[in-house]
Amino acid sequence: MGAEHHDDQLAAVELDDELSSSSVTETTVSVDELFDVLARPANRYALTYLLRDEGPVYAHELVEYIIDETDPPEGLSEREYRGQIDSRLLHVSLPKLEDVGLIEFDDRRQRISETDETPAVLPYLRFALVQQRSHDD
């Protein structure tokens, strides 16, 4: 058991070294909050779009991006689908991302901006998107 325990400790140290690499950024967002946020496709789309774009984006741009990237569920018109996306973003996704500290959301202007925490999500977001693509294929 002693050798196995030593091997486990060594693996943990190596993992710690990998996590402290430049690909992972320190954040004040808890691991649970981060993974909870990334578990929802709308949040992944919002963060992807925001990180791709230069400067703040507007909610209507984000809705268009999601419409372009996805298909409406069967039995739902594009107009109904657009309405659902718009409503969920404005009332669920964007407020949640703001509560966690990953975005700033000006509800009055419907403007979304990065925070200092937003770039920290990038390595985890990449991983989530790769997993999503392999699941979709």
Side-chain angles (χ1 to χ4, degrees), residues 48-136:
T48 299
Y49 189 75
L50 183 60
L51 287 165
R52 277 185 13 183
D53 211 58
E54 297 290 322
V57 299
Y58 291 89
H60 70 89
E61 296 173 288
L62 185 51
V63 170
E64 290 304 316
Y65 171 71
I66 294 172
I67 293 291
D68 290 345
E69 294 291 317
T70 61
D71 295 319
E74 194 167 320
L76 213 58
S77 71
E78 187 174 316
R79 183 176 184 200
E80 292 168 323
Y81 186 48
R82 180 183 306 276
Q84 281 186 359
I85 291 170
D86 189 55
S87 179
R88 285 183 186 154
L89 278 174
L90 294 176
H91 301 291
V92 179
S93 294
L94 297 177
K96 175 65 176 179
L97 290 169
E98 183 174 46
D99 287 346
V100 171
L102 292 173
I103 67 166
E104 288 182 7
F105 178 52
D106 180 345
D107 188 32
R108 187 177 56 80
R109 295 174 59 197
Q110 295 190 351
R111 188 173 120 163
I112 307 141
S113 304
E114 285 187 32
T115 66
D116 291 341
E117 299 294 328
T118 310
V121 78
L122 191 55
Y124 309 102
L125 180 59
R126 284 184 180 137
F127 178 75
L129 293 173
V130 165
Q131 293 300 311
Q132 178 181 333
R133 284 188 195 115
S134 68
H135 184 272
D136 291 346

